[in-house]
Amino acid sequence: MIRNALLPLFIVALPVCGQPESHLVHQQWQAFSDRILPVQGGHQISQQSLNQFPQELLLPASQYPDLKRFSWAQIERLYHIHHHCSEDENELSGGADWRRAVQFELILCREGKLPSQWSQHLSERHPAGGSYADRYVNYLRANHDASDVNVFLQQHANSLTLAHPLHPFHAVFASLSETGQSAILGARAIIWRKMAACGATL
């Protein structure tokens, strides 16, 4: 059972900064990698490859509403804007994150294209869950030519969440439960941050 197979992941010791054995960090990372190989079903993904993707977008929690930054009322309001393509006079009077979310929904409901300056925000979480890139590529698939979708993916595939079918590693992790994905990717992130803090590299 996948959940049981993941339990040993939490036994992996984290490196301690200042230890004289510089190779200890690498040994512990190798031990972690060896433990997760059977869980991944033989698939191997390098640390360098995973590091190309924002950590937040790899975790299942990225699919849920972002209630740390937005209220339920705001999320409901975005739903209304999305379906009715209209906003109140004071709609854009909130913070930058809120204004960006409103502008995004207005662009999509008016069947427009995101301006180039949006590239820096595509990997951010949408208030209702998923990344802006997730939602925009879905919009392109429904309303534009396949060539537009392909161009977007060539430039912004690393802004998709792991749960999106077009994410490069989606198929590798699709067989795992959310618990399994969180255990593997969460433990990987903790070890990687600890290694970075100690000045170690892979």
Side-chain angles (χ1 to χ4, degrees):
M1 187 173 178
I2 288 176
R3 181 173 297 181
N4 291 335
L6 290 170
L7 291 178
L9 294 178
F10 298 103
I11 303 175
V12 177
L14 294 178
V16 179
C17 295
Q19 288 184 337
E21 300 86 354
S22 61
H23 63 282
L24 179 59
V25 171
H26 297 277
Q27 290 178 338
Q28 291 176 335
W29 172 255
Q30 188 60 53
F32 172 77
S33 299
D34 292 343
R35 286 172 185 248
I36 67 173
L37 273 178
V39 182
Q40 291 177 323
H43 292 288
Q44 297 187 46
I45 301 174
S46 69
Q47 176 72 25
Q48 184 178 8
S49 296
L50 280 176
N51 289 345
Q52 297 175 14
F53 301 90
Q55 172 67 20
E56 182 182 28
L57 300 185
L58 294 175
L59 297 173
S62 65
Q63 299 305 299
Y64 300 107
D66 187 356
L67 296 177
K68 291 183 179 179
R69 294 189 301 155
F70 304 94
S71 66
W72 273 117
Q74 287 177 310
I75 294 173
E76 290 175 350
R77 184 59 193 158
L78 286 177
Y79 179 85
H80 177 84
I81 293 171
H82 178 83
H83 288 281
H84 299 281
C85 217
S86 62
E87 80 274 20
D88 297 333
E89 291 183 6
N90 298 325
E91 205 74 78
L92 298 178
S93 61
D97 290 344
W98 169 249
R99 294 196 304 272
R100 188 155 48 248
V102 171
Q103 291 168 348
F104 179 82
E105 296 301 338
L106 288 174
I107 290 172
L108 266 57
C109 71
R110 293 170 180 169
E111 299 186 359
K113 285 193 174 183
L114 290 178
S116 58
Q117 58 265 33
W118 256 91
S119 295
Q120 61 182 314
H121 302 297
L122 289 169
S123 61
E124 296 175 8
R125 281 177 62 187
H126 185 278
S131 68
Y132 282 106
D134 285 1
R135 291 170 179 268
Y136 190 61
V137 76
N138 290 343
Y139 160 77
L140 289 177
R141 294 173 76 186
N143 298 282
H144 291 264
D145 296 334
S147 59
D148 290 333
V149 176
N150 292 333
V151 169
F152 180 82
L153 290 175
Q154 289 172 7
Q155 299 174 349
H156 304 294
N158 64 340
S159 294
L160 298 174
T161 62
L162 184 61
H164 196 283
L166 296 180
H167 189 285
F169 296 147
H170 173 78
V172 176
F173 288 91
S175 62
L176 291 177
S177 65
E178 287 191 1
T179 301
Q181 291 181 24
S182 295
I184 288 179
L185 295 168
R188 179 201 70 87
I190 292 171
I191 292 176
W192 182 83
R193 285 196 298 268
K194 187 67 175 177
M195 291 173 71
C198 292
T201 57
L202 293 174

